[in-house]
């Protein structure tokens, strides 16, 4: 990936020589783009989000794939790059930032109390983060399935019903595979690194 990163007081940009898109998150925008190799098979995308206040860095890598059309893999990877990092940050921020602040302030406690407090907070936060991030990925998958039903399945079933009525016999149908993407999202704060993938 050939990218140039530049920062201003309000905007963080990453410019590359392929597809570009703007994503707005919390008043700050981040332009992202990626091409793994200059080839017609490229279906991969990445995203970088720098939330307001510099509290974290959210990175995403999306490896699109498709059976029938390269464009399907590109669309899936690009939609995931636009959606998942900001959704994960939205879910993770309320859980990560308080634990980070608690870890920073527990320095004033005696060593045993600080250790027990930090361990209890981390265990609770990890469980909540696991649930919240799982919900983000599940919600995104449901959006993809709904989009597929509207764009592909419903249309094919209407056409199938029309043809069956015309010939008076049932027609077997296997729905086409559209493609998809793997998704890896990493949330990094001063105190935490949260890797997620599916």
């Amino acid at each position: 990936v050939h990218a140039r990163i530049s920062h201003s007081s309000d905007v963080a940009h990453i410019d590359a020589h392929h597809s570009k898109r703007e994503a707005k998150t919390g008043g700050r925008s981040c332009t992202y783009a990626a091409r793994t190799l200059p080839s017609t098979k490229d279906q991969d995308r990445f995203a970088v989000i720098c939330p307001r206040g510099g509290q974290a860095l959210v990175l995403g890598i999306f490896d699109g794939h498709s059976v029938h059309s390269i464009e399907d893999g590109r669309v899936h990877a690009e939609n995931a790059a636009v959606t998942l990092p900001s959704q994960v940050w939205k879910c993770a921020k309320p859980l990560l930032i308080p634990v980070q602040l608690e870890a920073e302030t527990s320095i004033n406690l005696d060593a045993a109390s600080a250790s027990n407090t930090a361990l209890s907070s981390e265990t609770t936060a990890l469980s909540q983060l696991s649930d919240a991030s799982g919900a983000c990925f599940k919600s995104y998958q449901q959006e993809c399935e709904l989009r597929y039903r509207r764009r592909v399945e419903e249309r094919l079933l209407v056409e199938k019903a029309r043809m069956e009525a015309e010939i008076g016999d049932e027609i077997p149908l296997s729905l086409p595979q559209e493609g998809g993407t793997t998704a890896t999202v990493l949330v990094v704060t001063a105190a935490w690194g949260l890797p997620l993938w599916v």
Side-chain angles (χ1 to χ4, degrees):
V1 173
H2 303 288
R4 178 175 51 83
I5 300 175
S6 61
H7 297 277
S8 69
S9 60
D10 295 319
V11 181
H13 290 283
I14 295 182
D15 298 318
H17 55 57
H18 192 51
S19 129
K20 293 182 183 178
R21 213 158 205 198
E22 287 279 326
K24 297 270 183 185
T25 58
R28 193 170 268 230
S29 69
C30 179
T31 302
Y32 69 88
R35 181 163 74 184
T36 53
L37 292 172
S39 82
T40 57
K41 293 185 176 186
D42 172 45
Q43 300 179 49
D44 304 337
R45 298 293 182 264
F46 77 85
V48 177
I49 298 175
C50 308
R52 183 182 297 265
Q55 298 167 320
L57 181 64
V58 184
L59 310 163
I61 300 172
F62 308 91
D63 181 6
H65 50 272
S66 56
V67 176
H68 304 290
S69 165
I70 289 173
E71 189 59 31
D72 287 337
R74 288 178 179 161
V75 167
H76 279 284
E78 190 138 334
N79 285 340
V82 168
T83 306
L84 276 173
S86 58
Q87 281 184 351
V88 167
W89 175 243
K90 185 178 178 180
C91 292
K93 179 182 177 181
L95 301 169
L96 285 173
I97 300 306
V99 172
Q100 179 180 336
L101 293 174
E102 188 173 319
E104 291 169 358
T105 58
S106 68
I107 294 169
N108 297 331
L109 302 173
D110 64 80
S113 291
S115 177
N116 289 337
T117 300
L119 182 58
S120 175
S121 293
E122 286 178 19
T123 302
T124 301
L126 285 173
S127 176
Q128 291 172 340
L129 282 169
S130 177
D131 293 345
S133 58
C136 286
F137 280 86
K138 184 176 181 178
S139 171
Y140 182 73
Q141 179 64 34
Q142 290 170 342
E143 290 172 23
C144 291
E145 290 170 4
L146 179 62
R147 196 168 35 248
Y148 178 82
R149 277 194 298 278
R150 288 181 182 156
R151 198 174 73 103
V152 178
E153 183 178 349
E154 289 174 1
R155 291 179 181 178
L156 286 176
L157 292 177
V158 166
E159 185 61 19
K160 177 182 183 289
R162 185 194 66 74
M163 291 172 64
E164 288 174 341
E166 184 178 309
I167 65 170
D169 199 3
E170 186 176 339
I171 300 172
L173 174 68
S174 292
L175 293 172
Q177 294 181 4
E178 187 181 46
T181 186
T182 61
T184 303
V185 177
L186 176 63
V187 180
V188 181
T189 71
W192 287 80
L194 176 66
L196 307 163
W197 66 94
V198 63

